[in-house]
């Protein structure tokens, strides 16, 4: 068999080069088409589906993140708060505080149990919740969930427009008519779906900033389950301490020690309560406190996951609810004259 001639070799090489260039060419983009009212109706339904899918995906992310938060709260509770609360010197300090509260009760002041509860809540926040927030914060998770929802929804809507070959100006106009944030007045606290997705970065949008502020304010106005649990702890601790004040002479000891340093006060109180007695009671105290705080934490976690107004998904539920309600609100029910059945009709653009 004779080798190919130089001319044949050149022709083969040219064909290969041309074939490679052709394979690297971008696919031809089809021009937009004029869509019928029925197609726009289908697009609206698929926008709702896209919102539901984005919400579901973000819920998975939020649940995983909040499980990490819960685990860290449990770890700090076990390693810091429980040893602190059940420690010998802390119990002496609390005894002194309750005695002081009782001596200064009345005249419109809160009862000793409530004052002790506020003190324990402050300690729990400092020792546990504030420490965990440095690593993972439910408010940061809530904000990130909103950002992720908007990002995922925007990606799906771009794919939707491409799939239907919708004219960009018509598709954008349709998104402009869908309200995503309605917090006016002022008018700048309203935003359409198009504004939220494509007009500016979220950090530059007044309506989005107003929504974030509203979410944070709603959370701070609520009562955490951990606070409720600590109120229960404080109630039991106060009752127990109060029952031992009289026989131990703590009230008179504290009264006579006014003006001395905290260390001296603790020393006075400690004379009425031995280390041996504390060591006997401490295991039961630890177990009881662990049960109370675990129950409170489990309730708090469920509240953070399920509360549609203040939970970790609250911002996502607000946005998806506004978008889906706006699309459904744009429909009207019409009765078929022949069969009496109902069908949903979405007005055409």
């Amino acid at each position: 068999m004779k080798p190919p001639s130089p001319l044949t070799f050149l022709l083969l090489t040219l064909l290969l080069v041309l074939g490679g260039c052709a394979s690297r060419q971008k696919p031809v983009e089809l021009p937009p088409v004029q869509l019928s009212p029925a197609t726009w109706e289908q697009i609206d339904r698929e926008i709702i589906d896209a919102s539901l899918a984005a919400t579901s995906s973000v819920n998975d992310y939020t649940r995983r993140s909040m499980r990490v938060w819960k685990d860290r709260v449990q770890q700090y509770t076990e390693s810091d708060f429980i040893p602190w609360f059940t420690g010998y010197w802390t119990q002496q300090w609390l005894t002194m505080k309750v005695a002081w509260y009782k001596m200064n009760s009345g005249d419109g002041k809160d009862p000793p149990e409530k004052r002790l509860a506020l003190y324990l809540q402050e300690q729990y926040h400092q020792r546990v919740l504030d420490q965990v927030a440095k690593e993972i914060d439910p408010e940061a998770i809530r904000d990130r969930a909103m950002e992720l929802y908007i990002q995922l929804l925007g990606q799906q809507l771009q794919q939707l427009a491409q799939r239907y070959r919708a004219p960009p100006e018509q598709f954008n106009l349709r998104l402009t008519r869908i309200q995503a944030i309605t917090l006016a007045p002022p008018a700048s606290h309203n935003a359409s779906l198009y504004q939220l997705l494509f007009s500016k970065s979220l950090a530059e949008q007044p309506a989005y900033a107003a929504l974030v502020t509203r979410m944070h304010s709603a959370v701070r106005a609520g009562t955490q389950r951990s606070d409720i649990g600590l109120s229960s702890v404080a109630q039991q601790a106060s009752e127990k301490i109060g029952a031992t004040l009289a026989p131990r002479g703590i009230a008179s000891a504290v009264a006579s020690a006014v003006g001395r340093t905290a260390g001296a006060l603790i020393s006075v109180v400690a004379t009425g309560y031995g280390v041996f007695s504390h060591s006997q009671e401490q295991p039961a105290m630890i177990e009881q406190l662990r049960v109370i705080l675990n129950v409170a934490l489990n309730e708090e976690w469920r509240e953070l996951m399920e509360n549609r107004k203040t939970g970790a998904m609250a911002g996502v539920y607000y946005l998806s609810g506004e978008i889906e309600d706006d699309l459904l609100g744009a429909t009207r029910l019409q009765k078929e004259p022949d069969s009496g059945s109902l069908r949903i009709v979405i007005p055409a653009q």
Side-chain angles (χ1 to χ4, degrees):
M1 181 176 181
K2 297 191 334 183
S5 66
L7 180 59
T8 303
F9 182 82
L10 181 61
L11 288 174
L12 289 173
T13 302
L14 182 60
L15 288 173
L16 289 173
V17 171
L18 291 175
C21 292
S23 65
R24 288 193 297 270
Q25 288 180 347
K26 293 183 179 180
V28 177
E29 294 186 3
L30 298 175
V33 297
Q34 189 65 32
L35 302 181
S36 67
T39 302
W40 282 115
E41 177 184 342
Q42 179 62 27
I43 288 175
D44 282 348
R45 285 196 293 266
E46 292 197 29
I47 292 176
I48 294 176
D49 291 340
S51 175
L52 293 172
T55 300
S56 178
S57 297
V58 175
N59 187 65
D60 291 340
Y61 153 80
T62 305
R63 187 169 294 272
R64 290 193 302 269
S65 300
M66 289 304 301
R67 285 194 182 279
V68 175
W69 174 84
K70 181 183 176 184
D71 290 343
R72 294 300 288 151
V73 169
Q74 287 178 317
Q75 291 168 11
Y76 272 96
T77 300
E78 288 287 338
S79 65
D80 192 302
F81 186 78
I82 291 179
W84 170 81
F85 178 83
T86 60
Y88 174 74
W89 290 108
T90 301
Q91 289 296 303
Q92 302 311 305
W93 173 247
L94 294 179
T95 299
M96 184 197 69
K97 289 185 76 68
V98 172
W100 183 260
Y101 293 155
K102 287 182 176 293
M103 292 169 55
N104 291 273
S105 60
D107 298 329
K109 293 183 179 179
D110 291 331
E113 294 80 5
K114 184 173 182 180
R115 295 171 71 180
L116 181 61
L118 293 174
Y119 175 74
L120 293 181
Q121 289 164 15
E122 177 185 339
Q123 289 295 316
Y124 191 78
H125 278 261
Q126 291 178 0
R127 295 172 179 274
V128 178
L129 299 180
D130 292 349
Q131 298 303 315
V132 174
K134 295 176 182 178
E135 305 174 19
I136 181 168
D137 184 7
E139 289 199 15
I141 294 173
R142 186 181 301 104
D143 294 347
R144 176 56 185 151
M146 287 191 288
E147 296 171 1
L148 187 58
Y149 167 81
I150 294 168
Q151 177 185 344
L152 293 176
L153 182 58
Q155 292 172 355
Q156 294 189 64
L157 294 189
Q158 288 179 328
Q159 295 171 5
L160 181 64
Q162 293 171 2
R163 187 165 68 251
Y164 281 93
R165 294 164 55 194
E169 65 281 358
Q170 293 185 30
F171 192 80
N172 291 341
L173 179 60
R174 203 165 191 86
L175 297 184
T176 301
R177 294 175 177 175
I178 301 172
Q179 290 299 302
I181 299 177
T182 54
L183 298 178
S188 60
H189 287 182
N190 286 348
S192 68
L193 180 55
Y194 177 81
Q195 288 176 291
L196 206 60
L197 294 176
F198 305 119
S199 65
K200 296 179 181 178
S201 67
L202 293 177
E204 298 178 284
Q205 298 196 36
Y208 185 77
L211 177 59
V212 171
T213 300
R214 171 178 166 172
M215 292 293 117
H216 290 188
S217 299
V219 171
R220 295 189 184 102
T223 301
Q224 291 184 313
R225 295 291 171 177
S226 58
D227 291 346
I228 297 175
L230 287 169
S231 296
S232 172
V233 171
Q235 176 71 27
Q236 296 179 31
S238 182
E239 291 174 354
K240 180 179 178 181
I241 292 170
T244 63
L245 284 178
R248 286 162 54 186
I250 298 301
S252 60
V254 173
S256 65
V258 172
R260 301 182 186 180
T261 64
L265 287 175
I266 292 176
S267 297
V268 171
V269 174
T271 61
Y273 188 62
V275 175
F276 179 73
S277 299
H278 175 266
S279 64
Q280 288 183 314
E281 297 178 6
Q282 189 178 30
M285 189 188 307
I286 290 175
E287 186 58 30
Q288 183 182 41
L289 182 60
R290 180 181 290 123
V291 170
I292 292 173
L293 292 180
N294 279 342
V295 169
L297 178 58
N298 288 333
E299 291 180 356
E300 174 70 9
W301 190 82
R302 284 195 295 271
E303 182 78 4
L304 285 169
M305 286 307 308
E306 297 173 5
N307 192 308
R308 301 180 72 90
K309 299 295 184 182
T310 61
M313 285 284 291
V316 174
Y317 288 142
Y318 173 85
L319 292 171
S320 61
E322 289 291 316
I323 293 168
E324 293 159 21
D325 288 348
D326 190 279
L327 284 167
L328 292 173
T331 66
R332 66 178 183 272
L333 292 176
Q334 289 187 346
K335 180 174 283 190
E336 297 287 354
D338 54 345
S339 63
S341 61
L342 296 177
R343 63 187 179 93
I344 295 178
V345 178
I346 300 178
Q349 292 285 1

